[in-house]
């Protein structure tokens, strides 16, 4: 007999925040661009994507609040890089949830 899935509220809330952050086409494109280049400043991002600087900054703020990008300040520039550790956390949490849901949906419980 399988045991019920227990996902801590805190982990579920973190995963939900991150999923909302990447549930946007432009933010996914920004993450892919940063991944491809390693790290970028906001000017590189808005120029490459041909968007307004304010739009790029708003989307980067959402990614930063969700802890999906890491920032590093060098002088006046802030470099953004992908937080692979958090993407891995998100992937594992979603995978665990879906695995249990698909095998035994009646066993889902919230702590």
């Amino acid at each position: 007999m399988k045991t019920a899935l227990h996902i801590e509220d805190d982990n579920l809330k973190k995963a939900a925040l991150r999923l909302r952050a990447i549930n946007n086409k432009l933010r996914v494109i920004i993450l892919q661009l940063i991944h491809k280049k390693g790290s970028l400043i906001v000017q590189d991002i808005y120029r490459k994507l041909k968007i307004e600087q304010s739009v790029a900054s708003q989307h980067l703020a959402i990614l930063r609040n969700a802890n999906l990008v890491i920032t590093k300040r060098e002088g006046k520039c802030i470099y953004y890089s992908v937080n692979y550790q958090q993407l891995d956390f998100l992937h594992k949490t979603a995978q665990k949830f879906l695995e249990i849901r698909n095998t035994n949906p009646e066993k889902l419980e919230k702590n």
Side-chain angles (χ1 to χ4, degrees):
M1 176 186 250
K2 292 187 178 186
T3 60
L5 171 67
H6 296 283
I7 299 178
E8 297 171 16
D9 282 343
D10 191 43
N11 283 345
L12 202 53
K13 287 177 185 175
K14 287 177 186 177
L17 174 68
R18 289 176 181 99
L19 286 170
R20 281 192 301 274
I22 61 172
N23 188 28
N24 178 281
K25 189 175 183 176
L26 183 54
R27 288 194 287 271
V28 170
I29 290 169
I30 290 170
L31 278 174
Q32 289 171 338
L33 180 62
I34 295 170
H35 165 71
K36 191 194 289 188
K37 299 293 184 176
S39 69
L40 291 171
I41 58 175
V42 68
Q43 290 87 347
D44 295 334
I45 294 167
Y46 75 77
R47 287 179 186 144
K48 177 74 174 172
L49 299 178
K50 297 180 173 122
I51 58 176
E52 294 292 322
Q53 184 270 330
S54 60
V55 172
S57 293
Q58 288 172 348
H59 285 285
L60 285 166
I62 291 168
L63 292 171
R64 193 172 53 246
N65 288 337
N67 205 18
L68 293 172
V69 293
I70 300 168
T71 58
K72 180 181 176 188
R73 180 177 287 279
E74 287 186 17
K76 292 183 178 183
C77 295
I78 299 175
Y79 286 83
Y80 294 88
S81 58
V82 176
N83 188 342
Y84 294 103
Q85 186 177 23
Q86 293 303 319
L87 286 176
D88 186 53
F89 162 81
L90 180 61
H91 176 75
K92 286 179 181 176
T93 302
Q95 189 175 29
K96 180 179 176 183
F97 182 79
L98 290 173
E99 188 177 288
I100 298 297
R101 188 186 129 231
N102 290 336
T103 58
N104 244 337
E106 69 277 357
K107 294 283 185 177
L108 287 176
E109 287 182 7
K110 185 177 167 189
N111 253 354

